[in-house]
Amino acid sequence: MRARSRPSVIGHRGAPGYRPEHTRAAYELAFALGADSVEPDLVATKDGVLVVRHENEISGTTNVAEHPEFAARRTTKEVDGMPLTGWFTEDFTWAELATLRARERVPHLRQASATFDDRYPILRLADVLEVVDAASDAAGRALGLVAELKHATYFEAAGLPLHELFLAELGAAGWSDHPGLVAESFEKTVLGHLHDGGFRGKRVYLLEGEGAPADRVASLGAAAPGYASDLTLRGLYALGSAAAPAERVDGISVDVSQILHSGSVSVGLFGEDEGGVDIGAVTSDLVDLAHSAGLFVYCWTLRPENGMLPADFRRAGRDDEWGDWRRLFAILLHSGVDGVFADHPDLAVAVRDGR
């Protein structure tokens, strides 16, 4: 078993617990609150610019619906097997998207963040790289970037190969050899394309608890093996030591429920002091199995609101009120994971550092 390490704290889309996600304010605040890295989600414009949005459908995170000049672009598309109606980044140029402003994605849970709606423009990957560089200079150490390539198979079919765009932008910004560079995706194919294109950072495979990856479904249809096949011991060893280098990854990233033992975390199991938590009693063996396969492990996403917490960690009150987040964060940060994604980076840092 690998010795327990001090996990890194990754600002998930910046610090969206406090500012609308994927804005300059959210990224700058994440670093000010102690994050070691930040995570932008990357999608493409029709002129091949990588922009940072949670999804390529942007009606829920921008004010696009209030721009009458773009009304005719509202449409319905199928993205990774899901029908979606709205406005899509690939139907806009970067110059057009630059006229939009960002909005809080879950205003019913984060009213304070929503007070900053329409203040900040959408960013490109190039803008986020500049934020990381400036924060690194201020901190006197190399801070990192964990970039998620979203819907890679979908974008490649649209003539917008994300791996090529990503590598080109890294090169243009002088980031090709950056020590804190990580790329992640729910589709392993694009991670292999990055390897073949000369990517020098770490590659991380995002694994859902259910379903099948879009690249496999596109290739194999209903016969596509699900994510569950990758989470077996055989699957993890294949990810860590496949014969073809492009088929290997450096790490996996899983959600909170995959770290916790299902049904074992009862509210009465621990006292108030998270230092007394029996971590082994409430966590699965996934982290140790992945480590034995040579993979590091990230976990997503640490959030304090009742409406975002697993049921055993919620408290009486509204969904937007904070539940027993400190106990959950302590369990996850002491589970052996190598990094956690947090919407409130300061809370994760405080628990990790015993403050």
Side-chain angles (χ1 to χ4, degrees), residues 15-21 23 60-61 101-120 305:
Y18 303 111
R19 299 291 187 276
E21 65 188 26
T23 59
T61 61
R101 292 296 180 266
R103 290 186 171 175
E104 169 56 47
R105 188 171 57 87
V106 285
H108 62 292
L109 294 180
R110 294 176 173 168
Q111 297 95 329
S113 175
T115 65
F116 294 91
D117 281 358
D118 299 340
R119 293 195 189 189
Y120 309 118
E305 297 95 349

Short mmCIF file of all heavy atoms in Angstrom, two decimals, residues 15-21 23 60-61 101-120 305:
data_model
loop_
_atom_site.label_atom_id
_atom_site.label_comp_id
_atom_site.label_asym_id
_atom_site.label_seq_id
_atom_site.Cartn_x
_atom_site.Cartn_y
_atom_site.Cartn_z
N ALA A 15 -13.18 28.88 -8.38
CA ALA A 15 -13.77 28.82 -7.03
C ALA A 15 -15.26 29.11 -7.18
O ALA A 15 -15.76 30.15 -6.72
CB ALA A 15 -13.10 29.82 -6.11
N PRO A 16 -16.02 28.21 -7.82
CA PRO A 16 -17.42 28.52 -8.16
C PRO A 16 -18.36 28.56 -6.96
O PRO A 16 -19.52 28.92 -7.12
CB PRO A 16 -17.80 27.38 -9.12
CG PRO A 16 -16.92 26.25 -8.72
CD PRO A 16 -15.62 26.88 -8.31
N GLY A 17 -17.86 28.19 -5.77
CA GLY A 17 -18.69 28.40 -4.59
C GLY A 17 -18.84 29.86 -4.25
O GLY A 17 -19.75 30.24 -3.51
N TYR A 18 -17.96 30.70 -4.83
CA TYR A 18 -17.95 32.12 -4.50
C TYR A 18 -18.16 33.05 -5.69
O TYR A 18 -18.60 34.18 -5.52
CB TYR A 18 -16.61 32.49 -3.84
CG TYR A 18 -16.29 31.68 -2.60
CD1 TYR A 18 -15.26 30.75 -2.60
CD2 TYR A 18 -17.04 31.84 -1.43
CE1 TYR A 18 -14.94 30.02 -1.46
CE2 TYR A 18 -16.74 31.11 -0.29
CZ TYR A 18 -15.69 30.19 -0.31
OH TYR A 18 -15.40 29.47 0.81
N ARG A 19 -17.77 32.63 -6.88
CA ARG A 19 -17.91 33.44 -8.09
C ARG A 19 -18.38 32.52 -9.23
O ARG A 19 -18.08 31.33 -9.23
CB ARG A 19 -16.57 34.08 -8.50
CG ARG A 19 -15.97 35.03 -7.49
CD ARG A 19 -16.77 36.31 -7.35
NE ARG A 19 -16.08 37.27 -6.49
CZ ARG A 19 -16.15 37.28 -5.15
NH1 ARG A 19 -16.86 36.38 -4.52
NH2 ARG A 19 -15.49 38.20 -4.45
N PRO A 20 -19.09 33.04 -10.22
CA PRO A 20 -19.52 32.20 -11.33
C PRO A 20 -18.35 31.44 -11.94
O PRO A 20 -17.27 31.98 -12.16
CB PRO A 20 -20.12 33.21 -12.32
CG PRO A 20 -20.61 34.32 -11.44
CD PRO A 20 -19.59 34.43 -10.34
N GLU A 21 -18.58 30.15 -12.20
CA GLU A 21 -17.51 29.27 -12.63
C GLU A 21 -16.89 29.71 -13.95
O GLU A 21 -17.51 30.35 -14.79
CB GLU A 21 -18.06 27.84 -12.78
CG GLU A 21 -19.09 27.67 -13.89
CD GLU A 21 -19.75 26.30 -13.88
OE1 GLU A 21 -19.80 25.67 -12.80
OE2 GLU A 21 -20.20 25.86 -14.95
N THR A 23 -14.75 31.92 -14.66
CA THR A 23 -14.46 33.34 -14.89
C THR A 23 -13.08 33.67 -14.34
O THR A 23 -12.54 32.94 -13.50
CB THR A 23 -15.50 34.24 -14.19
OG1 THR A 23 -15.48 33.98 -12.79
CG2 THR A 23 -16.90 33.98 -14.75
N GLY A 60 -27.28 27.98 -19.78
CA GLY A 60 -27.35 28.01 -18.34
C GLY A 60 -26.20 28.73 -17.66
O GLY A 60 -26.26 28.97 -16.45
N THR A 61 -25.16 29.09 -18.42
CA THR A 61 -23.99 29.71 -17.80
C THR A 61 -23.62 31.05 -18.43
O THR A 61 -22.58 31.62 -18.09
CB THR A 61 -22.77 28.77 -17.88
OG1 THR A 61 -22.47 28.50 -19.26
CG2 THR A 61 -23.02 27.48 -17.13
N ARG A 101 -21.64 37.39 -21.30
CA ARG A 101 -21.20 37.45 -19.92
C ARG A 101 -21.62 36.18 -19.19
O ARG A 101 -22.64 35.56 -19.51
CB ARG A 101 -21.78 38.69 -19.22
CG ARG A 101 -21.23 40.00 -19.76
CD ARG A 101 -19.73 40.11 -19.48
NE ARG A 101 -19.12 41.34 -19.97
CZ ARG A 101 -18.53 41.46 -21.15
NH1 ARG A 101 -18.52 40.43 -21.99
NH2 ARG A 101 -17.97 42.59 -21.50
N ALA A 102 -20.82 35.82 -18.18
CA ALA A 102 -21.03 34.58 -17.45
C ALA A 102 -22.08 34.73 -16.36
O ALA A 102 -22.25 35.81 -15.79
CB ALA A 102 -19.72 34.11 -16.84
N ARG A 103 -22.76 33.60 -16.07
CA ARG A 103 -23.75 33.57 -15.01
C ARG A 103 -23.55 32.32 -14.14
O ARG A 103 -23.03 31.30 -14.59
CB ARG A 103 -25.16 33.56 -15.59
CG ARG A 103 -25.54 34.89 -16.21
CD ARG A 103 -26.98 34.93 -16.65
NE ARG A 103 -27.35 36.29 -17.05
CZ ARG A 103 -28.52 36.62 -17.57
NH1 ARG A 103 -29.44 35.69 -17.76
NH2 ARG A 103 -28.76 37.88 -17.91
N GLU A 104 -24.01 32.42 -12.89
CA GLU A 104 -23.95 31.30 -11.96
C GLU A 104 -24.81 30.14 -12.48
O GLU A 104 -25.97 30.34 -12.87
CB GLU A 104 -24.44 31.75 -10.58
CG GLU A 104 -24.67 30.64 -9.59
CD GLU A 104 -23.44 29.78 -9.38
OE1 GLU A 104 -22.33 30.34 -9.19
OE2 GLU A 104 -23.58 28.54 -9.39
N ARG A 105 -24.25 28.94 -12.48
CA ARG A 105 -24.94 27.78 -13.05
C ARG A 105 -26.02 27.23 -12.13
O ARG A 105 -27.02 26.67 -12.59
CB ARG A 105 -23.91 26.68 -13.36
CG ARG A 105 -24.45 25.49 -14.13
CD ARG A 105 -23.32 24.58 -14.59
NE ARG A 105 -22.53 24.13 -13.45
CZ ARG A 105 -22.83 23.05 -12.72
NH1 ARG A 105 -23.90 22.33 -13.00
NH2 ARG A 105 -22.05 22.69 -11.72
N VAL A 106 -25.84 27.34 -10.81
CA VAL A 106 -26.83 26.81 -9.87
C VAL A 106 -27.24 27.93 -8.88
O VAL A 106 -26.94 27.88 -7.70
CB VAL A 106 -26.29 25.58 -9.11
CG1 VAL A 106 -26.29 24.36 -10.02
CG2 VAL A 106 -24.89 25.82 -8.54
N PRO A 107 -27.94 28.94 -9.37
CA PRO A 107 -28.27 30.09 -8.51
C PRO A 107 -29.15 29.74 -7.33
O PRO A 107 -29.12 30.45 -6.31
CB PRO A 107 -28.96 31.05 -9.48
CG PRO A 107 -29.49 30.18 -10.59
CD PRO A 107 -28.47 29.10 -10.74
N HIS A 108 -29.94 28.68 -7.41
CA HIS A 108 -30.79 28.30 -6.29
C HIS A 108 -29.97 27.80 -5.11
O HIS A 108 -30.43 27.84 -3.97
CB HIS A 108 -31.79 27.23 -6.72
CG HIS A 108 -31.18 25.94 -7.19
ND1 HIS A 108 -30.44 25.85 -8.35
CD2 HIS A 108 -31.17 24.70 -6.63
CE1 HIS A 108 -30.02 24.60 -8.51
NE2 HIS A 108 -30.44 23.90 -7.48
N LEU A 109 -28.74 27.33 -5.35
CA LEU A 109 -27.85 26.88 -4.29
C LEU A 109 -26.81 27.93 -3.92
O LEU A 109 -26.31 27.93 -2.80
CB LEU A 109 -27.13 25.60 -4.70
CG LEU A 109 -27.98 24.35 -4.89
CD1 LEU A 109 -27.10 23.17 -5.31
CD2 LEU A 109 -28.74 24.01 -3.61
N ARG A 110 -26.49 28.81 -4.86
CA ARG A 110 -25.40 29.75 -4.65
C ARG A 110 -25.84 31.18 -5.00
O ARG A 110 -25.41 31.77 -5.98
CB ARG A 110 -24.18 29.32 -5.46
CG ARG A 110 -23.62 28.00 -4.94
CD ARG A 110 -22.48 27.44 -5.73
NE ARG A 110 -21.94 26.28 -5.04
CZ ARG A 110 -21.08 25.41 -5.56
NH1 ARG A 110 -20.65 25.57 -6.80
NH2 ARG A 110 -20.64 24.38 -4.87
N GLN A 111 -26.73 31.69 -4.17
CA GLN A 111 -27.28 33.01 -4.43
C GLN A 111 -26.19 34.08 -4.35
O GLN A 111 -26.23 35.07 -5.10
CB GLN A 111 -28.40 33.33 -3.43
CG GLN A 111 -29.61 32.39 -3.52
CD GLN A 111 -29.54 31.25 -2.53
OE1 GLN A 111 -28.46 30.79 -2.19
NE2 GLN A 111 -30.70 30.80 -2.07
N ALA A 112 -25.24 33.92 -3.43
CA ALA A 112 -24.18 34.93 -3.31
C ALA A 112 -23.36 35.01 -4.58
O ALA A 112 -23.03 36.10 -5.06
CB ALA A 112 -23.30 34.61 -2.11
N SER A 113 -23.01 33.86 -5.15
CA SER A 113 -22.27 33.86 -6.41
C SER A 113 -23.08 34.49 -7.52
O SER A 113 -22.55 35.21 -8.38
CB SER A 113 -21.87 32.43 -6.78
OG SER A 113 -21.25 32.38 -8.05
N ALA A 114 -24.39 34.24 -7.51
CA ALA A 114 -25.26 34.77 -8.57
C ALA A 114 -25.33 36.29 -8.56
O ALA A 114 -25.70 36.90 -9.57
CB ALA A 114 -26.66 34.18 -8.44
N THR A 115 -24.96 36.92 -7.45
CA THR A 115 -24.94 38.39 -7.43
C THR A 115 -23.86 38.95 -8.35
O THR A 115 -23.86 40.14 -8.65
CB THR A 115 -24.72 38.93 -6.00
OG1 THR A 115 -23.42 38.56 -5.53
CG2 THR A 115 -25.78 38.42 -5.05
N PHE A 116 -22.95 38.09 -8.81
CA PHE A 116 -21.90 38.50 -9.73
C PHE A 116 -22.25 38.19 -11.18
O PHE A 116 -21.41 38.34 -12.07
CB PHE A 116 -20.57 37.83 -9.36
CG PHE A 116 -20.02 38.27 -8.03
CD1 PHE A 116 -20.34 37.58 -6.87
CD2 PHE A 116 -19.19 39.38 -7.94
CE1 PHE A 116 -19.85 37.98 -5.63
CE2 PHE A 116 -18.69 39.79 -6.71
CZ PHE A 116 -19.02 39.09 -5.56
N ASP A 117 -23.48 37.77 -11.44
CA ASP A 117 -23.91 37.48 -12.81
C ASP A 117 -23.69 38.69 -13.72
O ASP A 117 -23.91 39.84 -13.31
CB ASP A 117 -25.39 37.10 -12.84
CG ASP A 117 -25.64 35.67 -12.42
OD1 ASP A 117 -24.66 34.94 -12.12
OD2 ASP A 117 -26.82 35.27 -12.37
N ASP A 118 -23.27 38.41 -14.93
CA ASP A 118 -23.11 39.39 -16.01
C ASP A 118 -21.96 40.38 -15.80
O ASP A 118 -21.82 41.32 -16.57
CB ASP A 118 -24.42 40.17 -16.24
CG ASP A 118 -25.57 39.28 -16.64
OD1 ASP A 118 -25.32 38.15 -17.11
OD2 ASP A 118 -26.73 39.69 -16.48
N ARG A 119 -21.13 40.14 -14.79
CA ARG A 119 -19.98 41.03 -14.58
C ARG A 119 -18.75 40.60 -15.40
O ARG A 119 -17.92 41.45 -15.73
CB ARG A 119 -19.58 41.03 -13.11
CG ARG A 119 -20.59 41.66 -12.18
CD ARG A 119 -19.95 41.96 -10.83
NE ARG A 119 -20.94 42.37 -9.83
CZ ARG A 119 -20.61 42.84 -8.65
NH1 ARG A 119 -19.34 42.94 -8.29
NH2 ARG A 119 -21.54 43.17 -7.78
N TYR A 120 -18.66 39.30 -15.68
CA TYR A 120 -17.40 38.79 -16.23
C TYR A 120 -17.61 38.17 -17.60
O TYR A 120 -18.60 37.46 -17.83
CB TYR A 120 -16.81 37.73 -15.30
CG TYR A 120 -16.69 38.17 -13.87
CD1 TYR A 120 -17.39 37.50 -12.86
CD2 TYR A 120 -15.89 39.25 -13.50
CE1 TYR A 120 -17.29 37.89 -11.54
CE2 TYR A 120 -15.78 39.64 -12.18
CZ TYR A 120 -16.49 38.97 -11.20
OH TYR A 120 -16.39 39.36 -9.89
N GLU A 305 -22.70 22.32 0.27
CA GLU A 305 -24.15 22.56 0.35
C GLU A 305 -24.91 21.24 0.51
O GLU A 305 -24.58 20.22 -0.10
CB GLU A 305 -24.65 23.28 -0.89
CG GLU A 305 -24.07 24.67 -1.10
CD GLU A 305 -22.86 24.69 -2.01
OE1 GLU A 305 -22.33 23.60 -2.33
OE2 GLU A 305 -22.44 25.80 -2.40
#
